[in-house]
Amino acid sequence: MKLQPEHPTGNCRAALAGIVRFYETLAPDSLDQLAGLYAADARFKDPFNDVVGIAAIAGIFRHMFDTVEAPRFEVTTRLLTGREAMLGWDFHLRLRGRPVVVRGVTHLCFDADGLVCLHRDYWDPAEELYERLPLIGSLMRWLKRRLASPGA
């Protein structure tokens, strides 16, 4: 994806602040705000999804609210360089009644209008989720021990 020449950093700074505010206050009734933050043809990719368009992105979050108990994002780090940003975050949820925190990073690219044109989440589902599940968790922990370097 080739980005357009840089525009004033203040535009991206304001856009990034809006994205952080959106995610830290995300609720089912706030999904209509995506159109003011994301380009119509924005791409969203995470370990489970790879979609294009605001409706598809909103669908991912609707699904999250339908399947996860008490989801909440906390942005812990912000880095902005030109029209690209990285956000470190903690995703708080309840899994089978127990609190869980998934840690990850988001790479964002902004278009010339300051809208997100690429949203890519990086996090490790094996460590953050699978190891916490009863049956698959023991297998994942065994596999992790088996593949780890002896000094790790």
Side-chain angles (χ1 to χ4, degrees):
M1 172 181 294
K2 183 164 173 52
L3 297 177
Q4 300 296 320
E6 286 207 27
H7 57 41
T9 312
N11 192 20
C12 287
R13 194 173 302 124
L16 183 60
I19 289 288
V20 169
R21 192 170 35 259
F22 172 76
Y23 279 104
E24 289 192 326
T25 60
L26 187 61
D29 60 351
S30 66
L31 293 175
D32 60 343
Q33 295 174 25
L34 283 170
L37 300 169
Y38 284 74
D41 61 349
R43 179 179 181 205
F44 177 100
K45 183 168 176 32
D46 70 9
F48 301 116
N49 304 283
D50 189 353
V51 300
V52 173
I54 293 171
I57 296 169
I60 290 169
F61 291 110
R62 273 196 285 293
H63 178 73
M64 176 192 75
F65 283 114
D66 290 343
T67 58
V68 174
E69 185 183 343
R72 179 177 63 85
F73 287 96
E74 175 187 1
V75 175
T76 58
T77 307
R78 300 179 208 197
L79 300 172
L80 177 65
T81 301
R83 293 183 27 202
E84 295 189 52
M86 298 295 285
L87 297 176
W89 44 261
D90 292 343
F91 176 49
H92 300 265
L93 64 135
R94 297 188 66 80
L95 188 61
R96 296 171 15 127
R98 290 186 297 194
V100 172
V101 178
V102 173
R103 289 178 175 81
V105 175
T106 297
H107 175 215
L108 298 170
C109 294
F110 297 96
D111 67 12
D113 296 321
L115 298 173
V116 174
C117 56
L118 173 67
H119 177 138
R120 175 82 192 259
D121 285 345
Y122 296 92
W123 57 280
D124 183 359
E127 179 179 350
E128 302 290 349
L129 289 180
Y130 301 154
E131 287 185 11
R132 300 169 197 241
L133 299 174
L135 296 176
I136 197 169
S138 58
L139 174 62
M140 294 302 296
R141 289 187 298 276
W142 174 83
L143 188 58
K144 185 176 180 179
R145 285 190 306 272
R146 180 92 169 131
L147 297 176
S149 172

PDB file of all heavy atoms in Angstrom, residues 43-62:
ATOM      1  N   ARG A  43      -8.955  -1.322   5.355  1.00  0.00           N
ATOM      2  CA  ARG A  43      -8.713  -2.741   5.591  1.00  0.00           C
ATOM      3  C   ARG A  43      -8.431  -2.944   7.070  1.00  0.00           C
ATOM      4  O   ARG A  43      -7.681  -2.191   7.682  1.00  0.00           O
ATOM      5  CB  ARG A  43      -7.512  -3.215   4.772  1.00  0.00           C
ATOM      6  CG  ARG A  43      -7.201  -4.688   4.994  1.00  0.00           C
ATOM      7  CD  ARG A  43      -6.034  -5.143   4.154  1.00  0.00           C
ATOM      8  NE  ARG A  43      -5.768  -6.550   4.365  1.00  0.00           N
ATOM      9  CZ  ARG A  43      -4.586  -7.104   4.175  1.00  0.00           C
ATOM     10  NH1 ARG A  43      -3.565  -6.375   3.758  1.00  0.00           N
ATOM     11  NH2 ARG A  43      -4.424  -8.394   4.392  1.00  0.00           N
ATOM     12  N   PHE A  44      -9.034  -4.002   7.624  1.00  0.00           N
ATOM     13  CA  PHE A  44      -8.826  -4.399   9.026  1.00  0.00           C
ATOM     14  C   PHE A  44      -8.349  -5.839   9.020  1.00  0.00           C
ATOM     15  O   PHE A  44      -8.994  -6.710   8.428  1.00  0.00           O
ATOM     16  CB  PHE A  44     -10.139  -4.275   9.809  1.00  0.00           C
ATOM     17  CG  PHE A  44     -10.041  -4.718  11.239  1.00  0.00           C
ATOM     18  CD1 PHE A  44      -9.905  -3.781  12.249  1.00  0.00           C
ATOM     19  CD2 PHE A  44     -10.088  -6.063  11.584  1.00  0.00           C
ATOM     20  CE1 PHE A  44      -9.821  -4.183  13.586  1.00  0.00           C
ATOM     21  CE2 PHE A  44      -9.995  -6.474  12.903  1.00  0.00           C
ATOM     22  CZ  PHE A  44      -9.860  -5.529  13.908  1.00  0.00           C
ATOM     23  N   LYS A  45      -7.216  -6.083   9.685  1.00  0.00           N
ATOM     24  CA  LYS A  45      -6.689  -7.445   9.760  1.00  0.00           C
ATOM     25  C   LYS A  45      -6.225  -7.724  11.180  1.00  0.00           C
ATOM     26  O   LYS A  45      -5.561  -6.898  11.796  1.00  0.00           O
ATOM     27  CB  LYS A  45      -5.529  -7.617   8.782  1.00  0.00           C
ATOM     28  CG  LYS A  45      -4.961  -9.026   8.741  1.00  0.00           C
ATOM     29  CD  LYS A  45      -4.037  -9.191   7.567  1.00  0.00           C
ATOM     30  CE  LYS A  45      -3.340 -10.530   7.469  1.00  0.00           C
ATOM     31  NZ  LYS A  45      -3.999 -11.691   7.951  1.00  0.00           N
ATOM     32  N   ASP A  46      -6.609  -8.889  11.684  1.00  0.00           N
ATOM     33  CA  ASP A  46      -6.123  -9.382  12.967  1.00  0.00           C
ATOM     34  C   ASP A  46      -5.911 -10.888  12.815  1.00  0.00           C
ATOM     35  O   ASP A  46      -6.080 -11.418  11.720  1.00  0.00           O
ATOM     36  CB  ASP A  46      -7.081  -8.998  14.103  1.00  0.00           C
ATOM     37  CG  ASP A  46      -8.418  -9.711  14.093  1.00  0.00           C
ATOM     38  OD1 ASP A  46      -8.614 -10.661  13.304  1.00  0.00           O
ATOM     39  OD2 ASP A  46      -9.292  -9.322  14.873  1.00  0.00           O
ATOM     40  N   PRO A  47      -5.535 -11.609  13.876  1.00  0.00           N
ATOM     41  CA  PRO A  47      -5.279 -13.042  13.709  1.00  0.00           C
ATOM     42  C   PRO A  47      -6.475 -13.865  13.212  1.00  0.00           C
ATOM     43  O   PRO A  47      -6.285 -14.972  12.717  1.00  0.00           O
ATOM     44  CB  PRO A  47      -4.856 -13.492  15.108  1.00  0.00           C
ATOM     45  CG  PRO A  47      -4.232 -12.280  15.703  1.00  0.00           C
ATOM     46  CD  PRO A  47      -5.082 -11.140  15.191  1.00  0.00           C
ATOM     47  N   PHE A  48      -7.702 -13.342  13.303  1.00  0.00           N
ATOM     48  CA  PHE A  48      -8.875 -14.101  12.900  1.00  0.00           C
ATOM     49  C   PHE A  48      -9.634 -13.514  11.717  1.00  0.00           C
ATOM     50  O   PHE A  48     -10.485 -14.177  11.141  1.00  0.00           O
ATOM     51  CB  PHE A  48      -9.853 -14.225  14.076  1.00  0.00           C
ATOM     52  CG  PHE A  48      -9.269 -14.903  15.272  1.00  0.00           C
ATOM     53  CD1 PHE A  48      -9.109 -14.224  16.464  1.00  0.00           C
ATOM     54  CD2 PHE A  48      -8.864 -16.222  15.210  1.00  0.00           C
ATOM     55  CE1 PHE A  48      -8.565 -14.854  17.572  1.00  0.00           C
ATOM     56  CE2 PHE A  48      -8.316 -16.861  16.309  1.00  0.00           C
ATOM     57  CZ  PHE A  48      -8.172 -16.167  17.493  1.00  0.00           C
ATOM     58  N   ASN A  49      -9.380 -12.266  11.382  1.00  0.00           N
ATOM     59  CA  ASN A  49     -10.178 -11.562  10.377  1.00  0.00           C
ATOM     60  C   ASN A  49      -9.290 -10.815   9.394  1.00  0.00           C
ATOM     61  O   ASN A  49      -8.211 -10.352   9.756  1.00  0.00           O
ATOM     62  CB  ASN A  49     -11.100 -10.531  11.050  1.00  0.00           C
ATOM     63  CG  ASN A  49     -11.985 -11.140  12.096  1.00  0.00           C
ATOM     64  OD1 ASN A  49     -12.972 -11.781  11.778  1.00  0.00           O
ATOM     65  ND2 ASN A  49     -11.637 -10.961  13.367  1.00  0.00           N
ATOM     66  N   ASP A  50      -9.793 -10.661   8.185  1.00  0.00           N
ATOM     67  CA  ASP A  50      -9.148  -9.817   7.176  1.00  0.00           C
ATOM     68  C   ASP A  50     -10.283  -9.297   6.299  1.00  0.00           C
ATOM     69  O   ASP A  50     -10.782 -10.017   5.435  1.00  0.00           O
ATOM     70  CB  ASP A  50      -8.136 -10.625   6.359  1.00  0.00           C
ATOM     71  CG  ASP A  50      -7.289  -9.757   5.439  1.00  0.00           C
ATOM     72  OD1 ASP A  50      -7.561  -8.539   5.333  1.00  0.00           O
ATOM     73  OD2 ASP A  50      -6.357 -10.307   4.824  1.00  0.00           O
ATOM     74  N   VAL A  51     -10.717  -8.062   6.572  1.00  0.00           N
ATOM     75  CA  VAL A  51     -11.890  -7.521   5.894  1.00  0.00           C
ATOM     76  C   VAL A  51     -11.599  -6.129   5.353  1.00  0.00           C
ATOM     77  O   VAL A  51     -10.654  -5.466   5.783  1.00  0.00           O
ATOM     78  CB  VAL A  51     -13.124  -7.460   6.829  1.00  0.00           C
ATOM     79  CG1 VAL A  51     -13.484  -8.850   7.345  1.00  0.00           C
ATOM     80  CG2 VAL A  51     -12.899  -6.496   7.980  1.00  0.00           C
ATOM     81  N   VAL A  52     -12.439  -5.701   4.417  1.00  0.00           N
ATOM     82  CA  VAL A  52     -12.343  -4.365   3.832  1.00  0.00           C
ATOM     83  C   VAL A  52     -13.717  -3.713   3.924  1.00  0.00           C
ATOM     84  O   VAL A  52     -14.730  -4.346   3.614  1.00  0.00           O
ATOM     85  CB  VAL A  52     -11.877  -4.437   2.358  1.00  0.00           C
ATOM     86  CG1 VAL A  52     -11.936  -3.068   1.706  1.00  0.00           C
ATOM     87  CG2 VAL A  52     -10.471  -5.012   2.272  1.00  0.00           C
ATOM     88  N   GLY A  53     -13.732  -2.470   4.367  1.00  0.00           N
ATOM     89  CA  GLY A  53     -14.974  -1.694   4.417  1.00  0.00           C
ATOM     90  C   GLY A  53     -15.496  -1.512   5.826  1.00  0.00           C
ATOM     91  O   GLY A  53     -15.318  -2.367   6.698  1.00  0.00           O
ATOM     92  N   ILE A  54     -16.138  -0.380   6.024  1.00  0.00           N
ATOM     93  CA  ILE A  54     -16.635  -0.014   7.349  1.00  0.00           C
ATOM     94  C   ILE A  54     -17.687  -0.994   7.853  1.00  0.00           C
ATOM     95  O   ILE A  54     -17.667  -1.372   9.033  1.00  0.00           O
ATOM     96  CB  ILE A  54     -17.182   1.433   7.333  1.00  0.00           C
ATOM     97  CG1 ILE A  54     -16.014   2.401   7.092  1.00  0.00           C
ATOM     98  CG2 ILE A  54     -17.901   1.769   8.628  1.00  0.00           C
ATOM     99  CD1 ILE A  54     -16.419   3.832   6.848  1.00  0.00           C
ATOM    100  N   ALA A  55     -18.588  -1.440   6.997  1.00  0.00           N
ATOM    101  CA  ALA A  55     -19.629  -2.381   7.436  1.00  0.00           C
ATOM    102  C   ALA A  55     -19.005  -3.681   7.942  1.00  0.00           C
ATOM    103  O   ALA A  55     -19.430  -4.233   8.970  1.00  0.00           O
ATOM    104  CB  ALA A  55     -20.614  -2.658   6.306  1.00  0.00           C
ATOM    105  N   ALA A  56     -17.986  -4.176   7.237  1.00  0.00           N
ATOM    106  CA  ALA A  56     -17.327  -5.416   7.654  1.00  0.00           C
ATOM    107  C   ALA A  56     -16.568  -5.220   8.965  1.00  0.00           C
ATOM    108  O   ALA A  56     -16.573  -6.106   9.835  1.00  0.00           O
ATOM    109  CB  ALA A  56     -16.388  -5.906   6.554  1.00  0.00           C
ATOM    110  N   ILE A  57     -15.929  -4.065   9.121  1.00  0.00           N
ATOM    111  CA  ILE A  57     -15.212  -3.770  10.369  1.00  0.00           C
ATOM    112  C   ILE A  57     -16.195  -3.678  11.522  1.00  0.00           C
ATOM    113  O   ILE A  57     -15.979  -4.263  12.586  1.00  0.00           O
ATOM    114  CB  ILE A  57     -14.378  -2.476  10.229  1.00  0.00           C
ATOM    115  CG1 ILE A  57     -13.283  -2.673   9.174  1.00  0.00           C
ATOM    116  CG2 ILE A  57     -13.772  -2.069  11.573  1.00  0.00           C
ATOM    117  CD1 ILE A  57     -12.569  -1.387   8.754  1.00  0.00           C
ATOM    118  N   ALA A  58     -17.301  -2.990  11.313  1.00  0.00           N
ATOM    119  CA  ALA A  58     -18.331  -2.902  12.353  1.00  0.00           C
ATOM    120  C   ALA A  58     -18.851  -4.298  12.704  1.00  0.00           C
ATOM    121  O   ALA A  58     -19.121  -4.588  13.878  1.00  0.00           O
ATOM    122  CB  ALA A  58     -19.477  -2.006  11.892  1.00  0.00           C
ATOM    123  N   GLY A  59     -18.976  -5.168  11.714  1.00  0.00           N
ATOM    124  CA  GLY A  59     -19.429  -6.540  11.956  1.00  0.00           C
ATOM    125  C   GLY A  59     -18.504  -7.299  12.893  1.00  0.00           C
ATOM    126  O   GLY A  59     -18.958  -8.095  13.720  1.00  0.00           O
ATOM    127  N   ILE A  60     -17.202  -7.071  12.775  1.00  0.00           N
ATOM    128  CA  ILE A  60     -16.246  -7.719  13.678  1.00  0.00           C
ATOM    129  C   ILE A  60     -16.509  -7.288  15.112  1.00  0.00           C
ATOM    130  O   ILE A  60     -16.527  -8.111  16.032  1.00  0.00           O
ATOM    131  CB  ILE A  60     -14.795  -7.388  13.261  1.00  0.00           C
ATOM    132  CG1 ILE A  60     -14.472  -8.104  11.952  1.00  0.00           C
ATOM    133  CG2 ILE A  60     -13.801  -7.757  14.359  1.00  0.00           C
ATOM    134  CD1 ILE A  60     -13.172  -7.657  11.317  1.00  0.00           C
ATOM    135  N   PHE A  61     -16.733  -6.001  15.325  1.00  0.00           N
ATOM    136  CA  PHE A  61     -16.973  -5.516  16.681  1.00  0.00           C
ATOM    137  C   PHE A  61     -18.345  -5.934  17.205  1.00  0.00           C
ATOM    138  O   PHE A  61     -18.482  -6.239  18.391  1.00  0.00           O
ATOM    139  CB  PHE A  61     -16.759  -4.000  16.757  1.00  0.00           C
ATOM    140  CG  PHE A  61     -15.313  -3.650  16.595  1.00  0.00           C
ATOM    141  CD1 PHE A  61     -14.868  -3.024  15.450  1.00  0.00           C
ATOM    142  CD2 PHE A  61     -14.387  -3.982  17.566  1.00  0.00           C
ATOM    143  CE1 PHE A  61     -13.532  -2.727  15.279  1.00  0.00           C
ATOM    144  CE2 PHE A  61     -13.043  -3.695  17.411  1.00  0.00           C
ATOM    145  CZ  PHE A  61     -12.612  -3.058  16.263  1.00  0.00           C
ATOM    146  N   ARG A  62     -19.342  -5.992  16.337  1.00  0.00           N
ATOM    147  CA  ARG A  62     -20.645  -6.511  16.779  1.00  0.00           C
ATOM    148  C   ARG A  62     -20.495  -7.959  17.249  1.00  0.00           C
ATOM    149  O   ARG A  62     -21.030  -8.348  18.283  1.00  0.00           O
ATOM    150  CB  ARG A  62     -21.671  -6.413  15.655  1.00  0.00           C
ATOM    151  CG  ARG A  62     -22.388  -5.083  15.612  1.00  0.00           C
ATOM    152  CD  ARG A  62     -23.647  -5.106  14.760  1.00  0.00           C
ATOM    153  NE  ARG A  62     -23.406  -5.116  13.331  1.00  0.00           N
ATOM    154  CZ  ARG A  62     -22.883  -4.127  12.632  1.00  0.00           C
ATOM    155  NH1 ARG A  62     -22.519  -3.022  13.238  1.00  0.00           N
ATOM    156  NH2 ARG A  62     -22.729  -4.218  11.331  1.00  0.00           N
TER     157      ARG A  62
END
